Amino acid sequence: MNEWLKKVTAKAKEMWSKWKPIQKVILFGIIIIVIIAIVASVRLSAKPVTVRLFNAPVTDSTSLTKILDRLSQENVNAYITESGYISVDDDKTARQMREILISENLVPSSVDPWAGFYDRSWSTTDADQNVKLKNTIQKQLKQHIESIAEIQLADVNIVLPENQLFTADQNPVTASVIIKTTPMSSLLSDKKRVQGIQRLILSAVEGLKEENLIITDVDGNQVNDFEGMADLERVGVIEKQQKLIRKQEVELRARILKALQKTFGEDRCRDMNVAIEMDMSQKTSESKEFSPIQIKADNPDTPYDDSEYRDYLPRSSQTVTKEWQGTGYNPEGPAGVEGQTPPVYSDMSTVIGRSTETGVVQNNELNEKTTQEISSPKIDKISVSVNLDGKWKKVKDDNGNLVIKDGAIQREYTPVSDEQKAEAVRLIQGAIGYNRERGDRVEVTNIPYDRDDEFEAEDAEYFAAIQRKRTILLVLIAIVVVLVGFILFRVISREMERRRREREARLLAEQQAARERALWEAKDDGMEVTMSVEETRRMELQENAISMAKEHPEDVAMLIRTWLMEE
C-alpha cells in the first residue's frame, strides 16, 4: 500500500511539473467550484422543511392570534408567511395541531382544514373521483384520529351516497368509527374529548350530521351518545357533590379534633363524628329594601346622634281643582224606554246644583335597594358528636407504693365534669359556626374507653420489672458469693503454698547444713572430700547469688517482689 501511495505521489509530482500555468489555474478553479457546490448543497439540505397547517391563508388577525397562542401552548414552532400561511415542522405535528384546533373550534370559517388533501384528474370519472375522495378522507381521518394521544388504532368507514335528483330521495351521508385506546385510558369516558373527535369527523365529511355518526369502542359500545350519557353525568355530578361534602367533613373534623386533643390529650379524645347536610341546588333570590332618606348627617363632635331622616322626599306635586254648576243629570236609558232611576232622584232632575272637586297628586322619592343573589351550594345542617374519656389514676398506699388487688394494680376513674363538657360544646359551636335556626346539633358524651388490654399490658410490664429487679438482685448476690469464695480460695492456696515453700526451704537448709557439717568434719579428720558436679554447680550459683545480692541489692529485691506477685 505504501509503495502504491509513493508511486501515485511521484506520478502526481511528475505530472504537476509538466503542466503549464494555465492548466494549474484551471485545476484550482475546478476545485473551488466543487467546494462551493458542496457547501451550497449542505446548506440547502440543512434548511428545515416545513409542512403547511392549512392549505389556505388565515387572513383574520384575531383568528391568527388565537391559533398561534394555542400552538405556543403546545410548544410547537410555527412559521407564518406574509400572505398568512401557517407552517409547522413536520406532517405528524401538523395532524396533531389540526385535530386540536378543530376540536376547540379555532379554525376560521373561511378556511377548509381538509382542502388540498386530495387531487382530481381530468381523466377520471365521477365514480373514480368519489371513491378517491372517500378513500382520501378515510385515510386522513384515520391518521388524524390515531395521532391523538391515548389512541392506538382507529377504523374509519364513510358512506357517500350517490346524488339523487330529488332531495326527498337523497340518502344521508353516514360514518362509523371504531376507536381502540391504550390500557387504563379514560379518553372514551371524557365527554369533552369525545366531542372534539366528533367535531373533527363532522368537519372532514361534507354533509355528515351528528345523528348519522357512530363512534364506538372495540367492544361495540357507542361513546358519542351524549343524550344517553346524561344519567351517567348526573351520577358523576352526585359523586362530586358527595366528595365535596366528605372533604368538608374531614377538614372540619380534623380542625375540631386537633383543638380538643390539645386540651384533653390524644388518648382521651379519639373519636369524632361530623355530618354535613348540603343543598346543592342553585337558587336565585331577589330582595328589595326601602330605607329613609338622610337629610342631615350625624355630627361626630356631639355626644348624641343629631342626624335627621325623612320617610320620603317630595319630588313633584300637582294640584287639580274641578268645579261644576248646572241642573242635575238623570240618565233614563234609550229613547222610548222607561228609566230605572228611583223616584227620589227623578224628582230632583230639574234642581240646579253646584259641585267642587279638588285633588293633589304628589310624587315622593324613596331610597330603594335591589339585591340579587345566587346561592349554591348551601349548608343546611351540621351535626357533631364527640366522646371524651375521664382520667384514670393508680391508687398508692401511705408509703407511696402501688396497691395491688386481685393480682392487678388498683385504679380509680374520674369522669369529665359537666363544666368541661359545656366548655367543649361551646368550643365546637364556635368552630362550626353554630346556627340554631339552621338546626345544627352538637353532642359531647363521657363514655369510658375500654382500656382492659392497656391496663393488662401495664400490669404485665410492672410485674415483669419487679421480677427483673429480683432476678438481678439474686444474680448480684450469687456473683458476690462466687467472688468471695474465689478470694478465700486464693488466700488459702497462697498460704498453703507459702508454708510448703518454707518447709522445703527449711529442709534444704538443714540438708545443706548437714552436708557442710559433714564436709568440715571430714576435713578436720584429714579426709579428702570429693564434691559432685551438681554440688559444685550449686555452690557456684549460691556464691554468685550472694555476691549479686551484695553488689545489687535493689535489683534482687525487685526480682523477688516480681516472683511473689506472679505466685
Side-chain angles (χ1 to χ4, degrees):
M1 183 67 182
N2 295 332
E3 294 180 359
W4 176 82
L5 184 62
K6 291 179 181 179
K7 291 180 181 180
V8 171
T9 305
K11 189 174 181 180
K13 290 181 179 179
E14 183 180 356
M15 292 177 63
W16 179 261
S17 61
K18 293 180 180 181
W19 280 6
K20 297 180 180 180
I22 187 64
Q23 293 177 334
K24 295 179 180 180
V25 171
I26 293 172
L27 178 61
F28 280 116
I30 293 172
I31 294 174
I32 293 172
I33 292 172
V34 170
I35 293 173
I36 293 173
I38 293 173
V39 172
S41 62
V42 170
R43 288 187 176 181
L44 291 175
S45 62
K47 185 178 180 180
V49 179
T50 59
V51 178
R52 284 185 177 180
L53 189 62
F54 305 115
N55 284 349
V58 180
T59 56
D60 187 7
S61 60
T62 304
S63 301
L64 180 62
T65 303
K66 292 181 180 179
I67 293 174
L68 295 179
D69 292 341
R70 191 65 182 90
L71 294 178
S72 63
Q73 292 179 7
E74 299 293 334
N75 297 324
V76 174
N77 297 325
Y79 309 95
I80 303 95
T81 62
E82 296 180 356
S83 56
Y85 287 96
I86 303 175
S87 302
V88 293
D89 293 333
D90 50 28
D91 185 63
K92 181 179 179 181
T93 304
R95 288 198 302 268
Q96 292 178 351
M97 295 301 104
R98 195 179 296 115
E99 182 271 333
I100 293 175
L101 296 175
I102 293 174
S103 63
E104 297 182 3
N105 290 327
L106 296 178
V107 181
S109 58
S110 59
V111 176
D112 183 8
W114 303 96
F117 284 166
Y118 50 88
D119 297 324
R120 294 187 176 182
S121 175
W122 291 100
S123 61
T124 57
T125 62
D126 292 341
D128 294 336
Q129 292 176 353
N130 292 333
V131 172
K132 186 177 181 180
L133 170 63
K134 186 182 75 171
N135 293 336
T136 304
I137 295 176
Q138 289 183 169
K139 180 180 177 181
Q140 294 298 329
L141 266 178
K142 178 180 174 64
Q143 292 178 356
H144 273 71
I145 295 174
E146 290 179 351
S147 65
I148 300 174
E150 301 180 9
I151 293 182
Q152 288 183 339
L153 185 64
D155 185 10
V156 181
N157 186 16
I158 300 174
V159 177
L160 299 176
E162 296 182 358
N163 295 327
Q164 300 295 331
L165 180 60
F166 299 101
T167 306
D169 299 333
Q170 181 68 41
N171 295 325
V173 179
T174 60
S176 62
V177 180
I178 301 176
I179 297 176
K180 181 181 179 182
T181 59
T182 57
M184 306 302 292
S185 173
S186 61
L187 182 144
L188 298 181
S189 60
D190 189 347
K191 180 179 178 181
K192 183 178 180 181
R193 300 186 68 181
V194 174
Q195 286 178 340
I197 298 174
Q198 179 173 281
R199 283 195 295 268
L200 175 69
I201 300 172
L202 293 176
S203 63
V205 183
E206 183 180 0
L208 181 62
K209 298 181 180 180
E210 294 183 6
E211 58 269 16
N212 297 325
L213 172 62
I214 303 297
I215 303 175
T216 63
D217 56 9
V218 292
D219 297 327
N221 300 319
Q222 185 176 356
V223 298
N224 65 331
D225 184 12
F226 303 115
E227 295 181 357
M229 295 174 63
D231 294 336
L232 296 177
E233 292 181 356
R234 181 175 177 273
V235 173
V237 171
I238 293 175
E239 291 180 354
K240 292 180 180 179
Q241 293 175 354
Q242 294 297 328
K243 185 177 180 181
L244 175 62
I245 294 175
R246 287 195 297 270
K247 180 181 179 182
Q248 292 187 353
E249 289 176 351
V250 170
E251 293 178 353
L252 190 61
R253 179 183 180 275
R255 186 168 65 250
I256 300 174
L257 193 60
K258 183 177 180 181
L260 290 176
Q261 286 179 349
K262 287 183 178 180
T263 304
F264 296 95
E266 296 182 0
D267 189 50
R268 295 178 56 196
C269 183
R270 304 177 186 175
D271 304 324
M272 173 176 290
N273 298 319
V274 178
I276 299 178
E277 297 179 6
M278 298 185 67
D279 183 8
M280 293 296 179
S281 61
Q282 185 174 353
K283 298 180 179 179
T284 303
S285 60
E286 181 177 352
S287 60
K288 184 177 291 186
E289 179 182 355
F290 296 94
S291 60
I293 299 175
Q294 185 179 17
I295 303 301
K296 179 182 178 183
D298 181 24
N299 187 3
D301 297 332
T302 59
Y304 54 89
D305 186 6
D306 58 350
S307 59
E308 183 180 352
Y309 291 89
R310 289 185 184 178
D311 295 338
Y312 59 88
L313 185 65
R315 184 174 184 179
S316 62
S317 62
Q318 180 181 7
T319 303
V320 178
T321 302
K322 294 182 180 181
E323 186 175 352
W324 176 85
Q325 183 177 0
T327 59
Y329 178 70
N330 184 15
E332 294 184 357
V337 179
E338 185 178 357
Q340 301 296 326
T341 305
V344 177
Y345 294 98
S346 298
D347 295 339
M348 298 176 60
S349 60
T350 58
V351 178
I352 298 175
R354 183 176 182 178
S355 174
T356 303
E357 180 182 354
T358 303
V360 178
V361 178
Q362 180 173 327
N363 296 324
N364 296 325
E365 190 72 28
L366 300 175
N367 278 341
E368 181 180 348
K369 181 180 180 182
T370 303
T371 304
Q372 291 184 351
E373 182 180 5
I374 299 176
S375 59
S376 174
K378 180 181 179 183
I379 297 177
D380 288 341
K381 182 180 179 181
I382 300 178
S383 300
V384 180
S385 64
V386 62
N387 182 46
L388 300 178
D389 191 13
K391 292 183 179 180
W392 289 92
K393 183 178 180 182
K394 298 177 181 179
V395 181
K396 296 183 179 180
D397 55 13
D398 297 336
N399 297 325
N401 299 322
L402 295 177
V403 177
I404 307 300
K405 184 179 180 181
D406 298 333
I409 301 174
Q410 187 176 359
R411 296 175 174 85
E412 292 181 352
Y413 179 75
T414 304
V416 180
S417 63
D418 295 337
E419 292 78 6
Q420 290 180 338
K421 289 195 291 183
E423 292 295 332
V425 169
R426 284 195 289 271
L427 186 146
I428 297 173
Q429 289 177 350
I432 66 174
Y434 180 79
N435 188 352
R436 183 177 179 182
E437 297 178 355
R438 192 171 57 188
D440 294 349
R441 184 176 180 183
V442 177
E443 293 290 341
V444 177
T445 59
N446 178 209
I447 302 175
Y449 291 135
D450 184 9
R451 299 178 181 269
D452 293 341
D453 295 338
E454 180 182 350
F455 291 162
E456 288 179 1
E458 289 182 0
D459 295 347
E461 181 66 23
Y462 175 73
F463 292 121
I466 294 177
Q467 186 65 30
R468 285 196 298 269
K469 290 181 181 179
R470 292 177 180 176
T471 303
I472 293 172
L473 182 60
L474 293 176
V475 171
L476 291 177
I477 292 173
I479 292 173
V480 171
V481 171
V482 171
L483 289 176
V484 171
F486 179 75
I487 293 172
L488 292 176
F489 173 75
R490 292 289 295 173
V491 171
I492 294 173
S493 61
R494 286 185 178 183
E495 183 64 21
M496 293 177 65
E497 184 67 21
R498 185 182 63 78
R499 291 182 180 182
R500 185 182 63 78
R501 286 197 302 270
E502 289 179 356
R503 186 170 57 253
E504 291 178 354
R506 188 169 57 253
L507 291 174
L508 291 175
E510 291 177 355
Q511 291 177 1
Q512 182 67 21
R515 284 194 295 270
E516 290 179 356
R517 190 169 49 254
L519 291 174
W520 284 107
E521 289 177 357
K523 186 177 180 181
D524 292 340
D525 294 339
M527 296 176 64
E528 190 173 323
V529 181
T530 303
M531 299 179 64
S532 63
V533 178
E534 294 179 357
E535 292 179 351
T536 304
R537 180 63 177 169
R538 186 183 297 107
M539 290 296 293
E540 291 178 357
L541 292 175
Q542 187 175 1
E543 291 177 358
N544 291 334
I546 293 171
S547 61
M548 179 67 71
K550 291 180 180 180
E551 292 177 359
H552 305 284
E554 295 180 357
D555 296 339
V556 175
M558 182 66 70
L559 179 61
I560 295 171
R561 190 180 298 112
T562 304
W563 286 348
L564 293 176
M565 291 177 65
E566 289 179 355
E567 295 180 358

